[in-house]
Amino acid sequence: MDSKVKKRQLQQYIGFGILGACALFVVIILFIILYDIAVKGISTISWSFLSEPPRAGMTEGGILPAIIGTFFVTIITAVFSVPIGVGAAIYLSEYAQEGWLTRWIRASIRNLAGVPSIVYGLFGVALFVNTMSLGASILSAGLTLGLLTLPWIITTAEEAFQTVPKAYREGSLALGATPWQTIRRNVLPYAFPGILTGAILGISRAAGETAPILFTGVAFFLPQLPGSLTDQFMALPYHLYIMSTQHHAIEAVRPLAYGTALVLIILVFLLNLTAIILRYRLRKKYVR
Amino acid sequence: MTSTAKVETKNLNLYYGPNHVLHDVSVQILPNKVTALIGPSGCGKSTLLRCFNRLNDLIVNTKIDGEVLLDGKNIYGNGMDVVDIRRRVGLIFQKPNPFPKSIYDNVTFGLKINGIREKKRIAETVEKSLNDTGLWEEVKDRLNTSALELSGGQQQRLCIARALAIEPEVILMDEPTSALDPAATFKIEELVSQLKKKYTIIIVTHNMQQAGRVSDYTGFLYLGKLIEFGKTNDIFTRPKEKLTENYISGRFG
């Protein structure tokens, strides 16, 4: 064989090998993390761990208040960020003319996505806890996480709108539909799977955040479950942080920390799985 | 002749940003006739077509001067409702674009957005529109299946039925057969000849035989200018302009 051909083949193998190794590296890291947490956490998980509050200075008992807290905060996050995010995405994708205002809004959204989450926490204290007098509460924390999620939801929803063929929009307008009728009947339904997937992924990420809820409502320990949206709450990521670094007997509660981590990961995984299944089903409905 | 034109442009100029796309186009389209617009790619024929239902409005930086008259009223004038114009002037696209809904929902789309709810009227319109496009016998047993399962030619006839359902006055067709095979093309051409009894039709086509077969009048556009306009027979047998003659004899384009 020609030596030039051999050299090209060698280059091909080396290039392919390096790229493959990069991809494999990511997968290996993920599995090491999951394996470590699963092995160390699985023995802690029982019905009582999931259904009881912590006892004896959080050295015994379960994590029910943290699960409940994370659940309600996540709902507030979703209720706040999905409608506003999708609304903003509709405006940007369907109505906004390209101009300085649109560019300015897009740049702001992109920058917002890059703001560290602890800064969102501080902003949440200033705006929701103090200025709007919502106090440290489920509401304040949920709204703060909502702000954190907004740029993600706007961006993914806008991308979902961009995938709707132009022919659907023009076909609808050419039949005398108003722009709003076109969006509601001929754009939104087809962008919906993408919007939903993006929203769930964004919210599942928010559910695992610690910094934004740190000052806005999460509590170290609460003897009872929250009774209203203006109460403080416990949350899984913060509970994990406490159990791993702030507890007076860190070594003794290590299994509880791993159990908490496993529950948190499973919850996030379930949310992501829901997104995948929904997307698959809805896509099938509209396949060409 | 002015008073009888269904659609008319007067000194129409169109710019996309710095590009001057249409130059001083003045044309009169007669009612219940098929008018073909021919010319090489990029000559502005599709752009001109989309002026008649203001679909060019969607493209940013489009500037228009001159007039486009529909029944003598300037559709770009103040107080004209663009939605109403598009109801009166339908458009069939180059690539069939049925919505990813059922056949039935495709035909009823225009009725629903116009607030028509009476079941009987809707059902009658569906049957009539599909009949008018020769689709009824082919699809009457599967109205609730997805329109995307139809063949390309059926999809295009469905798009025509969808446009007919709201009873437009003018039907614009933008190379409606360029994505279809010869058999499907033949059906669409037959349909065009049928439809002109009730509608005014303007068709953009790349295919000169098609223009010759279906149209009563032909306009030849070149580089954004209307070079020649007249009876199709005259344009094809004794064109007045050298450019027209060169184009229809296949010397360029």
Side-chain angles (χ1 to χ4, degrees):
Chain A
M1 213 191 306
D2 196 321
S3 73
K4 268 187 187 165
V5 175
K6 271 192 180 160
K7 195 180 158 203
R8 276 210 313 249
Q9 276 186 346
L10 188 66
Q11 285 174 337
Q12 156 69 16
Y13 287 131
I14 292 173
F16 186 79
I18 291 173
L19 297 176
C22 292
L24 197 64
F25 177 74
V26 177
V27 177
I28 289 173
I29 294 291
L30 174 69
F31 273 93
I32 290 175
I33 294 172
L34 287 180
Y35 179 80
D36 183 56
I37 291 171
V39 165
K40 292 176 180 160
I42 195 86
S43 57
T44 312
I45 293 189
S46 64
W47 177 243
S48 61
F49 183 68
L50 297 176
S51 63
E52 286 173 15
R55 285 191 314 268
M58 294 201 285
T59 57
E60 286 172 34
I63 53 168
L64 180 68
I67 296 177
I68 300 278
T70 291
F71 178 74
F72 281 109
V73 167
T74 307
I75 285 183
I76 297 293
T77 304
V79 167
F80 172 64
S81 63
V82 174
I84 294 180
V86 174
I90 291 177
Y91 173 78
L92 285 173
S93 166
E94 307 296 319
Y95 281 105
Q97 302 267 321
E98 287 304 318
W100 68 269
L101 181 66
T102 310
R103 278 201 299 276
W104 191 77
I105 292 174
R106 278 219 179 80
S108 304
I109 292 167
R110 228 167 275 143
N111 283 319
L112 214 52
V115 172
S117 57
I118 188 75
V119 177
Y120 277 98
L122 290 170
F123 181 73
V125 175
L127 180 65
F128 301 123
V129 179
N130 296 331
T131 308
M132 292 173 66
S133 307
L134 297 173
S137 63
I138 292 180
L139 208 51
S140 296
L143 293 174
T144 308
L145 285 176
L147 288 181
L148 175 90
T149 319
L150 262 182
W152 168 268
I153 292 188
I154 295 171
T155 310
T156 53
E158 212 187 332
E159 276 166 14
F161 284 120
Q162 299 302 331
T163 63
V164 177
K166 206 173 96 187
Y168 294 174
R169 293 187 180 86
E170 289 190 336
S172 171
L173 292 170
L175 287 165
T178 61
W180 173 241
Q181 284 174 323
T182 300
I183 290 165
R184 199 166 61 83
R185 290 167 181 271
N186 254 354
V187 178
L188 211 47
Y190 312 121
F192 188 66
I195 294 172
L196 199 66
T197 314
I200 294 177
L201 292 180
I203 288 162
S204 81
R205 216 181 49 151
E209 278 286 349
T210 313
I213 58 176
L214 196 57
F215 317 119
T216 51
V218 79
F220 187 87
F221 173 72
L222 291 171
Q224 75 280 333
L225 296 175
S228 82
L229 293 180
T230 51
D231 285 352
Q232 284 198 294
F233 61 100
M234 292 177 73
L236 286 169
Y238 187 66
H239 188 64
L240 176 57
Y241 165 69
I242 299 293
M243 300 298 264
S244 328
T245 63
Q246 308 294 304
H247 201 275
H248 60 84
I250 288 173
E251 286 308 319
V253 299
R254 187 109 310 166
L256 293 178
Y258 271 105
T260 310
L262 188 57
V263 171
L264 181 57
I265 283 186
I266 289 173
L267 282 181
V268 169
F269 178 71
L270 283 179
L271 273 176
N272 291 1
L273 192 68
T274 315
I276 291 166
I277 293 171
L278 278 173
R279 179 171 51 182
Y280 178 74
R281 289 200 156 179
L282 291 168
R283 282 254 165 92
K284 240 170 59 177
K285 214 171 130 188
Y286 302 121
V287 268
R288 205 166 245 286
Chain B
M1 185 156 154
T2 309
S3 56
T4 60
K6 179 72 188 171
V7 185
E8 182 177 3
T9 68
K10 280 184 181 167
N11 304 102
L12 181 67
N13 283 280
L14 184 142
Y15 309 81
Y16 289 146
N19 300 324
H20 194 168
V21 183
L22 294 176
H23 297 259
D24 247 354
V25 175
S26 297
V27 65
Q28 296 186 334
I29 311 285
L30 295 179
N32 298 95
K33 298 284 181 216
V34 178
T35 303
L37 299 174
I38 61 169
S41 298
C43 70
K45 56 193 189 299
S46 288
T47 302
L48 176 60
L49 193 76
R50 285 168 178 235
C51 286
F52 297 137
N53 74 343
R54 288 187 56 174
L55 214 60
N56 285 322
D57 292 15
L58 303 180
I59 300 164
V60 285
N61 284 329
T62 305
K63 198 178 139 261
I64 281 173
D65 48 60
E67 292 183 329
V68 179
L69 307 174
L70 175 63
D71 286 337
K73 280 181 88 177
N74 184 12
I75 63 172
Y76 286 91
N78 288 336
M80 289 303 277
D81 178 14
V82 61
V83 168
D84 180 57
I85 288 158
R86 293 188 188 136
R87 271 168 205 167
R88 293 168 61 194
V89 184
L91 173 62
I92 309 302
F93 293 78
Q94 188 169 357
K95 195 168 167 274
N97 63 343
F99 304 133
K101 306 173 190 284
S102 70
I103 295 169
Y104 190 86
D105 287 347
N106 263 281
V107 183
T108 58
F109 185 86
L111 298 174
K112 291 202 175 132
I113 56 170
N114 283 297
I116 291 161
R117 294 272 176 274
E118 308 125 77
K119 285 223 170 76
K120 191 161 167 265
R121 182 166 165 203
I122 290 176
E124 280 168 6
T125 308
V126 169
E127 184 171 347
K128 187 168 180 311
S129 312
L130 290 172
N131 246 326
D132 287 349
T133 50
L135 261 181
W136 178 251
E137 287 304 319
E138 294 167 46
V139 302
K140 66 178 178 189
D141 298 323
R142 49 177 174 140
L143 291 175
N144 289 316
T145 57
S146 169
L148 303 179
E149 285 167 23
L150 298 173
S151 72
Q154 288 175 322
Q155 288 189 5
Q156 193 62 299
R157 281 186 285 149
L158 177 65
C159 292
I160 296 173
R162 185 174 73 184
L164 297 184
I166 51 171
E167 298 179 330
E169 298 159 34
V170 180
I171 300 175
L172 310 173
M173 297 184 161
D174 190 358
E175 297 188 44
T177 62
S178 65
L180 305 181
D181 64 42
T185 299
F186 176 71
K187 281 192 177 161
I188 301 278
E189 288 181 6
E190 266 195 321
L191 185 54
V192 169
S193 311
Q194 296 273 324
L195 291 175
K196 74 172 177 184
K197 289 173 197 149
K198 283 173 69 183
Y199 307 94
T200 303
I201 296 173
I202 309 172
I203 182 168
V204 161
T205 177
H206 242 110
N207 179 331
M208 266 159 318
Q209 285 78 21
Q210 181 167 73
R213 284 191 299 263
V214 303
S215 70
D216 305 298
Y217 290 85
T218 295
F220 171 61
L221 277 96
Y222 185 65
L223 298 177
K225 297 190 174 96
L226 183 68
I227 305 296
E228 191 168 349
F229 185 88
K231 287 208 162 111
T232 299
N233 227 337
D234 296 343
I235 296 275
F236 278 81
T237 54
R238 39 181 185 280
K240 294 190 191 92
E241 301 289 331
K242 191 79 188 146
L243 264 172
T244 315
E245 189 188 326
N246 286 347
Y247 181 72
I248 58 174
S249 59
R251 248 167 263 163
F252 71 98

